[in-house]
Amino acid sequence: MRIETQCLHEGYTPKNGEPRVVPICQSTTYVFDSTEQIADLFNLPNRHMYSRFSNPTTDAVEQKIAALEGGVGAMCTSSGQAASLLSILNLCHAGDSFVCSASVYGGTVNLFAYTLKKLGIECIFIDNDADDETIQNAIKPNTKLIFGETLANPTLSVFDIERYAKVAHANNIPLIVDNTFATPFLCRPIEFGADIVVHSTSKYMDGHALQIGGVIIDSGNFDWTNGKFPEFTEPDTSYHGIVYTKEFGNMAYIIKARMQLMRDFGAYPAAHSSFLLNLGLETLPLRMERYCLNGEKVARYFAASDKVESVTYPGLEGDKYYELAKKYLPKGTSGVISVSIKGGSKKAADFINGLKMTSKEVHVADIRTCVLHPASATHRQLTDEQLIKAGINPGLIRFSVGLENVEDILEDIDQSMKKL
Ligand SMILES: *Cc1c(COP(=O)(O)O)cnc(C)c1O
């Protein structure tokens, strides 16, 4: 099936007389005929037993997302942050390290640089565009993985997945890619060598700004028996001595994540949230096409305006990442645009305040056009000088183009620009 068809048909196939739409199974637990059956379930967890581990509604969505990304299995989480956290904890413990592109989402940086450090896990940040030698030099004997973001939020840097995967694999470690902004419609990282894919489904996948969620997808391609990952090949004492690679083969990573980490941390989504996520996924291809069309038109408008200093949009010729975007994101580069308004923080704020239809909100990839000014929101305590030192242009705004008619979006921008 092609992706448009997968979005509608994967994950749930009703049998004779069953509901057409995946039902909301709002139940904590499941009943069995005998204690023996429940005992078997603990030996081989191949059915639902308790909704902290799995649930039929969420299971259908997991199967759909695994198919969309070309993986062997997926596990939904209660947020994108939980997906990033568990994807790392499944491979690293105190005393380990991992390498990460410095361009990743700010929330990911907080988690990796500060919170994981408190747990004894070191994150080594390198430039998103580092050459092979720099990546290699960052890898130490205790390094367990490399992490990057296909299309970074909000810098819109493109991650050279294939090149990073080669270096990772030469060191017998996997590559994890956060594919949130691209979604599997624009890029399927596994096809370029990524071993694990994570998402915040709160963005384009849900698409309607309805609920927070995340997901981890396992490609099934990485060989966990190479000697670097004893937790996969030695008996798990917390799970009556199960050996994940022996029992579950190429699904070892995703089943270990569920049976150890979801069991212990319990960051599983509610069935109703998964039902809503599924609704979003059904129209993902249509929406992504339109986000990209609208995004490109709006990016061109900004690029042509004399009130604009610079525009970052990898789909525009001349953008630093144009060539990489052609390779990894040939169908388009989403609806998110970074724009620097001439005149610094004040003018950027004036421009945003002058917008009428566009929502001012702390979100991105909403179905409605929305905008955020980092200098007056997330970084508001800094002066213009300090902002520049921190690498943030005071006039920078993050503009997220929605699905309104693009003429209405352009008219809103135009009327506010004219007032500047
Ligand atoms: C938003 C975001 C996250 C965090 O996801 P939440 O669902 O907000 O927890 C992680 N990565 C990227 C790229 C994001 O944009």
mmCIF file of all heavy atoms in Angstrom, residues 33 80 342 354:
data_model
loop_
_atom_site.group_PDB
_atom_site.id
_atom_site.type_symbol
_atom_site.label_atom_id
_atom_site.label_comp_id
_atom_site.label_asym_id
_atom_site.label_seq_id
_atom_site.Cartn_x
_atom_site.Cartn_y
_atom_site.Cartn_z
ATOM 1 N N ASP A 33 -9.973 -16.653 31.165
ATOM 2 C CA ASP A 33 -10.762 -17.774 31.677
ATOM 3 C C ASP A 33 -10.108 -18.454 32.874
ATOM 4 O O ASP A 33 -10.783 -19.081 33.680
ATOM 5 C CB ASP A 33 -10.969 -18.823 30.577
ATOM 6 C CG ASP A 33 -11.916 -18.301 29.496
ATOM 7 O OD1 ASP A 33 -12.661 -17.341 29.795
ATOM 8 O OD2 ASP A 33 -11.891 -18.820 28.375
ATOM 9 N N GLY A 80 5.887 13.574 23.346
ATOM 10 C CA GLY A 80 7.116 13.460 22.574
ATOM 11 C C GLY A 80 8.325 13.380 23.489
ATOM 12 O O GLY A 80 9.281 12.646 23.225
ATOM 13 N N LYS A 342 13.403 42.945 10.030
ATOM 14 C CA LYS A 342 14.385 44.033 10.205
ATOM 15 C C LYS A 342 13.975 44.906 11.391
ATOM 16 O O LYS A 342 12.779 45.187 11.576
ATOM 17 C CB LYS A 342 14.420 44.912 8.950
ATOM 18 C CG LYS A 342 15.265 44.333 7.827
ATOM 19 C CD LYS A 342 15.326 45.317 6.650
ATOM 20 C CE LYS A 342 15.978 44.650 5.444
ATOM 21 N NZ LYS A 342 15.679 45.384 4.205
ATOM 22 N N GLY A 354 0.393 42.890 15.095
ATOM 23 C CA GLY A 354 -0.444 43.421 14.022
ATOM 24 C C GLY A 354 -1.211 42.349 13.266
ATOM 25 O O GLY A 354 -2.116 42.651 12.483
#
